[in-house]
Amino acid sequence: TQDDVDAAAKAITDAIAALEAAPVLGENDEILYFVTTELDDGTVSLKYAVKAEDSNCTIIAKNGVLTVPETLNGKTVTQVASLFNTATAKPLTKVVLPNTVTKITALMGLCSQVGATLEEIVLSENLTAIPGRAFQNLSNLKTITIPSNVTSIVSSAFRNLGNADTNLYMDAVITEESGASAFKNITGTIHVRSDKATYEFIKAAATSATVVFEGEESGSKVVVNGTEEFINQNNKFYLIL
């Protein structure tokens, strides 16, 4: 009947459209499966899916780089529970989190093989805390920057992280309240760019790393236009009248 012909034609059209919409994957690309959970404020938290059939969204890791989008399923991503599990097959070298993310938990999840290949993590500028074990045992990591909005780093956050070529850039102000064990056995170089108090704390805590201070010296004076004198306190400049 004509209805059967029309139904068959529609099925063919739909199949062609599905093929055209399917992502084109390169040799080193991989589709990763995730679950988004809606939060009270209408945004979502992101977590890996143990099985593909349990997921409600996917992200393509392009050539070893996983870039988390700002929105998934029409909802803003503000939290990341974990990104990897032991089913992750292809090696990842870089992870990028959008600036919409304000909270992370066990970012690396259960995937030990990611720690052997991951070289760079780009964190959200609006992140406020680094949880315990977030970056523990990432032995191959080369660079990570802790943004200035972070006020808390929990014990074991960077435990056993890095190697001789690792560079951790600290833009946050961190005090003794964060727990010295957060930096236990971290290796490489920690570049403190916030304040001298943070430098002194991390230098005492990270005994296996090289810690260098790259911020402004508190109390340094600067002459502007030959007349106005400013004094620097923790990277803020105040006019002396």
Side-chain angles (χ1 to χ4, degrees):
T1 67
Q2 186 61 43
D3 289 343
D4 292 334
V5 172
D6 293 342
K10 184 178 185 305
I12 294 173
T13 301
D14 291 344
I16 293 174
L19 289 173
E20 291 177 343
V24 178
L25 299 181
E27 181 179 356
N28 295 318
D29 297 345
E30 182 177 14
I31 299 177
L32 300 178
Y33 297 90
F34 295 94
V35 176
T36 57
T37 302
E38 188 165 350
L39 304 172
D40 291 341
D41 61 359
T43 64
V44 294
S45 175
L46 182 69
K47 182 179 181 179
Y48 70 84
V50 176
K51 300 178 181 179
E53 54 266 32
D54 296 333
S55 69
N56 60 11
C57 65
T58 60
I59 303 175
I60 297 176
K62 300 289 291 182
N63 198 29
V65 178
L66 173 60
T67 301
V68 176
E70 293 185 355
T71 60
L72 284 167
N73 295 335
K75 303 286 186 178
T76 302
V77 179
T78 59
Q79 295 186 23
V80 173
S82 51
L83 291 178
F84 311 104
N85 67 356
T86 52
T88 301
K90 298 185 187 304
L92 295 172
T93 57
K94 183 177 180 179
V95 171
V96 181
L97 298 185
N99 287 335
T100 55
V101 173
T102 59
K103 181 180 180 181
I104 61 175
T105 53
L107 185 64
M108 295 302 104
L110 305 174
C111 190
S112 60
Q113 67 225 52
V114 171
T117 62
L118 195 60
E119 297 180 354
E120 182 179 1
I121 300 174
V122 179
L123 296 176
S124 163
E125 289 292 334
N126 294 310
L127 197 66
T128 57
I130 306 294
R133 303 177 184 271
F135 309 115
Q136 179 174 294
N137 298 328
L138 295 182
S139 58
N140 201 47
L141 195 69
K142 292 184 178 180
T143 180
I144 183 173
T145 298
I146 308 305
S148 59
N149 283 321
V150 169
T151 58
S152 173
I153 297 179
V154 180
S155 296
S156 299
F158 303 109
R159 191 183 182 98
N160 300 328
L161 178 144
N163 53 65
D165 297 324
T166 298
N167 288 284
L168 187 153
Y169 298 92
M170 179 63 65
D171 291 341
V173 174
I174 300 300
T175 69
E176 295 82 6
E177 298 174 357
S178 299
S181 62
F183 299 94
K184 188 173 183 179
N185 297 335
I186 184 174
T187 55
T189 303
I190 302 175
H191 307 259
V192 179
R193 304 190 293 199
S194 52
D195 68 352
K196 204 63 177 286
T198 298
Y199 164 74
E200 296 293 348
F201 167 62
I202 294 179
K203 184 178 180 181
T207 56
S208 300
T210 300
V211 184
V212 295
F213 181 63
E214 298 177 354
E216 294 287 345
E217 292 281 357
S218 181
S220 61
K221 296 181 179 180
V222 179
V223 176
V224 179
N225 296 329
T227 55
E228 296 179 328
E229 189 177 74
F230 288 75
I231 187 167
N232 176 287
Q233 295 288 347
N234 297 335
N235 293 330
K236 295 181 180 180
F237 288 87
Y238 300 88
L239 173 63
I240 300 177
L241 301 177

